[in-house]
Amino acid sequence: MGNWKKYSLATQVGISALAYLLISYFLSRTQFLPFIAAYSVLFLAFWKLYSSISWKVGFLVAVGFRLLVLFSIPVLSDDYLRFLWDGRLQFEGLNPYLFTPQHIYNQFNYSSMDGWYIAMNSPNYYTVYPPFNQYLFALSGWIENERLAILALKLPLFFAEIGTLILLPKLLKTYGLSRKNTLLYALNPLVVLEICGSLHYEGIMIFFLVASLYAIRINRWIFGALLFGLAVSTKLIPLMFLPLLIREIGWRKTIAFSALVLGTLGVTFIPYLTEELIANLGSSLDLYFRSFSFNGGVYSLLNAVLPKSWNGYIGFTLLLFPISLIAYFVFGPRRSPELPRRMVLLQSVYYFFSAVVHPWYLTTVLAFNIFKPLRFVIAWSFLVGLSYFTYRGFPYLESPWIIGIEYALLLLFLAYDWGRQKT
């Protein structure tokens, strides 16, 4: 029986490894059917692995999967081209916040960047990536070989992921929970493919957030604030979590904590500070929230049925839902979920009503869902893979049917979770 279990485990790991290799090295995101087939296989193996594997073996397998995709050129996203571009600008002595790629391409002769410019999305927008990202992008700026430059960008993500997998069990222990819960994040195919595979810096942000929460749990909240500030300097999304700390450390400490977070963010901006920075960054963020939509649930439905003149207001109106949830968590009944669960619920509501829900956005939700796992979050990490149907041809075109199927199934899982909470 023991040999059969070992054989079964080796088979599951081997099948997963082949699926990761297929997606990362042999497919493009235009090949939706082979992608979703391999992605489905990965999720079936993931659930079986989680059910049958120990924490120590699971940790090694999770690291192995990340190593498999580490040396690939990202195929599910072309964002990495902007990372390489911003890194090269810094190597050339230029501030990436001051120039759009279009401006650089028209004014300067950097022939080595021609391919990046041609394939890049949004070349007429200023960069929207916060400064800690820019520091990491600069690591690739001096490397001429594109594959090596991509590896230079991926290595910090790989080591951040290892750090997250080491810290999560320690954070789980402070809540009296099993370290094996970490495997719900560590082995999830979405996390492996989108962070170490497709080079998304949510992995860095998650590491800093987990480290910050652990510091808070062991009463080192000042250090936690500095780590939280680095998380915000990587991605701005953690700012929404700051009000949730009021129930954790009180009003006074939360105000001081927030001041330290914003101070840390400000310090990381110092190398890039100019009069134009705020205006340029603000204009790109405004365009992002007003003009972009991808895989939005409620947003897509309202955008389809409401008059076109209302489209510019839908996104901001839907922000009332996460804002209301924040108010409930701060001013509502004293008996409320633990901080990680509140973070999961808040971010889930935010994305459910958001105009843009790229698959990698859900990695943060998955990281904190391990504390009291909700099935709809795990289901969403699979269902969001359907959004790659958009890239089946060019120009990219979303299918309302695919989005409808994704969110209809998600609502069924949400109803199931709701029913379990009531019983």
Side-chain angles (χ1 to χ4, degrees):
M1 188 69 176
N3 290 334
W4 169 250
K5 284 186 177 180
K6 289 180 181 178
Y7 173 78
S8 177
L9 175 62
T11 301
Q12 292 160 23
V13 172
I15 290 173
S16 296
L18 289 174
Y20 280 122
L21 290 172
L22 176 65
I23 292 173
S24 301
Y25 295 92
F26 298 100
L27 295 181
S28 70
R29 65 180 178 179
T30 61
Q31 297 171 288
F32 176 74
L33 289 178
F35 162 74
I36 202 64
Y39 196 60
S40 300
V41 167
L42 283 172
F43 267 87
L44 287 171
F46 155 60
W47 198 245
K48 283 188 167 292
L49 279 172
Y50 174 73
S51 303
S52 60
I53 207 168
S54 68
W55 153 246
K56 289 183 179 179
V57 175
F59 175 85
L60 293 175
V61 170
V63 173
F65 287 160
R66 284 160 173 78
L67 283 171
L68 277 180
V69 303
L70 183 64
F71 301 94
S72 66
I73 294 176
V75 293
L76 298 178
S77 169
D78 54 16
D79 286 357
Y80 74 96
L81 295 169
R82 187 58 180 258
F83 306 164
L84 292 169
W85 181 277
D86 284 1
R88 183 61 58 82
L89 286 193
Q90 293 180 77
F91 177 70
E92 299 289 347
L94 299 175
N95 186 335
Y97 290 105
L98 301 186
F99 307 96
T100 66
Q102 189 176 59
H103 175 80
I104 292 291
Y105 193 73
N106 291 336
Q107 298 295 322
F108 299 92
N109 181 26
Y110 295 142
S111 57
S112 63
M113 299 164 68
D114 286 354
W116 301 342
Y117 178 81
I118 293 168
M120 187 187 304
N121 63 64
S122 307
N124 54 329
Y125 293 162
Y126 293 100
T127 190
V128 296
Y129 299 104
F132 197 83
N133 270 329
Q134 296 295 343
Y135 298 154
L136 296 175
F137 299 164
L139 296 175
S140 70
W142 59 277
I143 303 175
E144 290 291 336
N145 182 280
E146 182 177 297
R147 188 174 287 275
L148 290 178
I150 291 170
L151 181 59
L153 292 174
K154 282 190 173 188
L155 283 174
L157 279 169
F158 175 76
F159 290 116
E161 279 281 270
I162 301 304
T164 297
L165 300 188
I166 291 171
L167 281 176
L168 276 174
K170 296 180 180 294
L171 184 56
L172 283 164
K173 187 177 180 181
T174 68
Y175 287 95
L177 298 171
S178 170
R179 64 180 180 175
K180 187 179 177 180
N181 285 22
T182 304
L183 297 183
L184 286 171
Y185 173 82
L187 296 174
N188 189 294
L190 179 74
V191 176
V192 177
L193 287 170
E194 297 294 356
I195 294 180
C196 284
S198 290
L199 219 171
H200 290 297
Y201 282 86
E202 273 72 9
I204 302 289
M205 177 191 69
I206 289 167
F207 168 72
F208 284 134
L209 274 179
V210 171
S212 175
L213 263 62
Y214 181 65
I216 292 170
R217 292 290 290 179
I218 60 173
N219 295 316
R220 297 182 62 188
W221 66 270
I222 294 177
F223 184 52
L226 299 178
L227 291 167
F228 200 105
L230 292 176
V232 174
S233 186
T234 308
K235 296 283 179 178
L236 298 179
I237 198 73
L239 287 172
M240 72 165 65
F241 300 140
L242 285 175
L244 304 185
L245 294 175
I246 292 170
R247 290 288 178 89
E248 198 79 8
I249 60 177
W251 279 93
R252 288 185 178 180
K253 283 186 179 178
T254 299
I255 292 171
F257 187 99
S258 300
L260 283 171
V261 168
L262 295 177
T264 302
L265 176 63
V267 168
T268 61
F269 263 114
I270 287 175
Y272 305 103
L273 278 181
T274 65
E275 292 182 5
E276 298 91 345
L277 183 146
I278 295 176
N280 293 348
L281 186 59
S283 68
S284 287
L285 289 172
D286 181 64
L287 281 168
Y288 173 84
F289 283 109
R290 286 184 179 274
S291 304
F292 283 81
S293 63
F294 179 86
N295 193 40
V298 175
Y299 177 90
S300 295
L301 177 62
L302 295 178
N303 198 43
V305 301
L306 291 177
K308 295 298 181 184
S309 59
W310 293 25
N311 289 358
Y313 305 98
I314 295 173
F316 287 104
T317 303
L318 291 177
L319 281 175
L320 293 174
F321 288 93
I323 290 171
S324 298
L325 186 59
I326 290 173
Y328 175 79
F329 284 145
V330 174
F331 301 107
R334 292 296 301 173
R335 188 177 180 181
S336 63
E338 298 275 14
L339 179 59
R341 170 62 70 87
R342 281 178 275 152
M343 292 169 67
V344 167
L345 294 175
L346 175 58
Q347 208 169 5
S348 297
V349 167
Y350 174 73
Y351 287 136
F352 192 79
F353 292 100
S354 179
V356 181
V357 187
H358 287 299
W360 55 91
Y361 289 5
L362 299 183
T363 54
T364 312
V365 191
L366 289 167
F368 296 100
N369 187 55
I370 68 172
F371 290 82
K372 288 190 177 178
L374 292 165
R375 290 187 180 236
F376 88 86
V377 173
I378 298 170
W380 201 356
S381 68
F382 169 72
L383 294 171
V384 77
L386 295 173
S387 67
Y388 282 110
F389 187 76
T390 299
Y391 301 108
R392 66 199 181 278
F394 192 84
Y396 303 138
L397 182 65
E398 284 192 301
S399 166
W401 291 103
I402 292 293
I403 295 175
I405 290 170
E406 176 189 342
Y407 283 91
L409 292 174
L410 180 62
L411 283 172
L412 289 177
F413 279 98
L414 185 58
Y416 175 78
D417 277 328
W418 182 269
R420 288 180 65 206
Q421 297 296 315
K422 292 293 184 181
T423 57

